[in-house]
Amino acid sequence: MTDRLTPLQLMEKLISFPTVSRDTNIPLIDWVADYLASHGIESHRYIDPEQPKHALFAHVGPWEEGAVVLSGHTDVVPVDGQPWDTDPYTVTEKDGKYYGRGTCDMKGFDALAIWALVEAHHAGVKRPLQLALSFDEEIGCTGAPPMIEAMQPVLPKGSAVIVGEPSTMQAVTGHKGGIGFNTHVIGFEVHSSMLHKGVNAIMAGAKLIEWANEMNTENMELKPTELAAMFDPPFTTVHVGMISGGTAHNITAKDCHFAMDFRVVPGEDKTAWGTAYLKKVREVEKQMRAIVPETRIEVTPRFDVPALQPETEGAAETLVRQITGDNASHKVSYGTEAGQFQDAGYSAVICGPGDIAQAHQPNEFIEISQFEAGHEFMRNLVTRLAT
């Protein structure tokens, strides 16, 4: 049996794996599986059939339903083009902070969850504890649903899921849903001096992006519902973060690629927003085809993340509030796998160390005080499960 690593040692190891969403996470999962096995803990995997990525889940304590599930993702966003002052894949302590890609979002929590699982196993807890580590959260929470489905026939079902996204250790009981579409505008190339005979895919795509601006303006001016008012901002947002296309400045662009994403407040229908976008797409496409009939716009689903709906006396919320003493109401606008666990019949809440404002940033960090608060939470959780 190997030594029990501290949460900091575990985080240092996890950070050392550059698990950017576009790359594999298997070396990290292999290491976690080996570490758990060295303590006599059996782990299980969901293996993605289309890419080299694995999810991992494990159970300690009595083989019965009712476990607390600690859920986190293993992927991180790229560091490309970001001005880092330290090696992003080495944890660096400075000025009361731990710096490194994923310290905040969310390998800090993953390390604490692994630590808690091992401690719970050795403590002989009376109520079970489970660990769930997914992939591809950063590109739309696409790795969690198949993992959750794979867990059902293998592990006794848990009753309370704690998703450790950075919430400064506050109990977050609701988040927006999300839906996104990859959009490919296919135009027709001509010399720009003859642009009236061609179809500029970028300029056609700009009409869709301007529609997004118009929707944001309209939503901002509406009086929010009571539920929407709990969020910041208190309305559904429409966003395009990247765009590419074109061949040269003097040629009408043949192609334009971008993703149209919606963060939808609970109470609004994500499907209706998708329908509205597709209606606008067909309107622009009709204008394109009036010039060159073979032009078109291809739209494919990118992600679909359900909102986390506030629960009435939810088991997960109750547990977290008992441990943290936090009785305030907290809602966030980012999405997580909490809504996906909730859709699968689990009670779910978000509670993790760190501030979401540091996520995805150059020189990403977690305050040492936050990391220690997360450690204290896990110690208290294990004690509760043992007694």
Side-chain angles (χ1 to χ4, degrees):
M1 183 179 297
T2 59
D3 294 335
R4 297 189 213 177
L5 299 181
T6 67
L8 177 57
Q9 290 171 325
L10 288 163
M11 180 170 68
E12 289 173 335
K13 189 64 182 180
L14 297 181
I15 296 292
S16 72
F17 294 101
T19 52
V20 176
S21 298
R22 65 187 175 220
D23 301 321
T24 184
N25 73 333
I26 294 175
L28 181 150
I29 294 295
D30 286 344
W31 184 86
V32 173
D34 290 343
Y35 178 69
L36 295 180
S38 73
H39 288 281
I41 301 172
E42 181 184 10
S43 62
H44 310 268
R45 302 193 194 201
Y46 166 75
I47 298 175
D48 192 298
E50 298 180 354
Q51 58 180 341
K53 295 180 182 180
H54 294 177
L56 177 145
F57 45 94
H59 175 109
V60 299
W63 196 256
E64 62 188 30
E65 295 187 351
V68 176
V69 184
L70 301 176
S71 177
H73 61 81
T74 59
D75 57 317
V76 296
V77 297
V79 300
D80 306 24
Q82 292 187 335
W84 281 75
D85 297 329
T86 62
D87 179 356
Y89 300 114
T90 300
V91 175
T92 302
E93 180 180 347
K94 184 173 61 175
D95 301 327
K97 305 177 180 72
Y98 291 131
Y99 289 86
R101 175 56 88 220
T103 49
C104 175
D105 184 18
M106 61 180 299
K107 291 180 178 178
F109 175 84
D110 292 346
L112 292 165
I114 294 167
W115 178 87
L117 192 77
V118 171
E119 293 301 309
H121 175 66
H122 289 295
V125 290
K126 295 181 173 61
R127 180 182 176 183
L129 182 67
Q130 293 178 358
L131 173 70
L133 298 178
S134 64
F135 57 86
D136 284 357
E137 191 274 348
E138 297 292 4
I139 57 175
C141 292
T142 57
M147 177 193 70
I148 296 168
E149 182 178 0
M151 291 171 64
Q152 306 301 308
V154 177
L155 302 183
K157 189 162 186 176
S159 62
V161 177
I162 301 172
V163 176
E165 289 283 356
S167 71
T168 61
M169 296 308 300
Q170 295 176 325
V172 173
T173 57
H175 68 60
K176 291 182 178 181
I179 189 169
F181 301 92
N182 286 325
T183 305
H184 180 195
V185 184
I186 298 100
F188 185 81
E189 290 182 315
V190 298
H191 193 278
S192 58
S193 65
M194 303 290 290
L195 64 84
H196 64 294
K197 294 185 177 181
V199 174
N200 189 314
I202 292 176
M203 296 180 74
K207 295 179 181 180
L208 298 175
I209 296 172
E210 180 55 26
W211 175 84
N213 287 326
E214 293 168 358
M215 293 300 100
N216 286 329
T217 299
E218 288 183 15
N219 289 348
M220 197 178 304
E221 293 174 350
L222 292 173
K223 181 180 179 180
T225 64
E226 183 177 348
L227 183 55
M230 298 178 181
F231 293 84
D232 182 20
F235 53 86
T236 293
T237 56
V238 192
H239 180 253
V240 174
M242 295 179 67
I243 186 169
S244 64
T247 303
H249 292 297
N250 61 349
I251 302 174
T252 57
K254 182 178 183 298
D255 296 285
C256 179
H257 298 267
F258 58 88
M260 184 71 70
D261 296 345
F262 301 80
R263 292 186 182 272
V264 183
V265 293
E268 290 188 11
D269 184 358
K270 297 195 310 299
T271 303
W273 276 105
T275 300
Y277 178 55
L278 292 176
K279 180 180 179 181
K280 184 64 180 181
V281 165
R282 297 311 162 212
E283 176 187 320
V284 174
E285 185 180 60
K286 183 178 180 180
Q287 296 169 2
M288 294 165 55
R289 287 180 167 175
I291 302 169
V292 180
E294 59 264 34
T295 57
R296 64 191 187 279
I297 303 176
E298 297 177 351
V299 176
T300 55
R302 194 164 78 90
F303 66 86
D304 188 347
V305 180
L308 173 63
Q309 303 284 353
E311 300 173 2
T312 302
E313 298 181 353
E317 175 187 353
T318 299
L319 174 63
V320 167
R321 293 195 187 284
Q322 288 173 345
I323 296 175
T324 63
D326 174 26
N327 290 314
S329 176
H330 306 287
K331 309 293 185 293
V332 295
S333 292
Y334 58 78
T336 77
E337 67 269 27
Q340 294 166 330
F341 271 104
Q342 195 176 62
D343 274 6
Y346 295 80
S347 173
V349 70
I350 300 167
C351 184
D355 188 332
I356 192 63
Q358 305 307 324
H360 305 181
Q361 297 299 307
N363 298 319
E364 177 183 346
F365 67 82
I366 186 170
E367 297 275 358
I368 293 176
S369 60
Q370 276 289 303
F371 193 65
E372 291 176 344
H375 191 189
E376 180 65 18
F377 178 94
M378 293 301 179
R379 281 196 292 263
N380 290 334
L381 174 62
V382 171
T383 297
R384 280 176 171 269
L385 298 181
T387 58

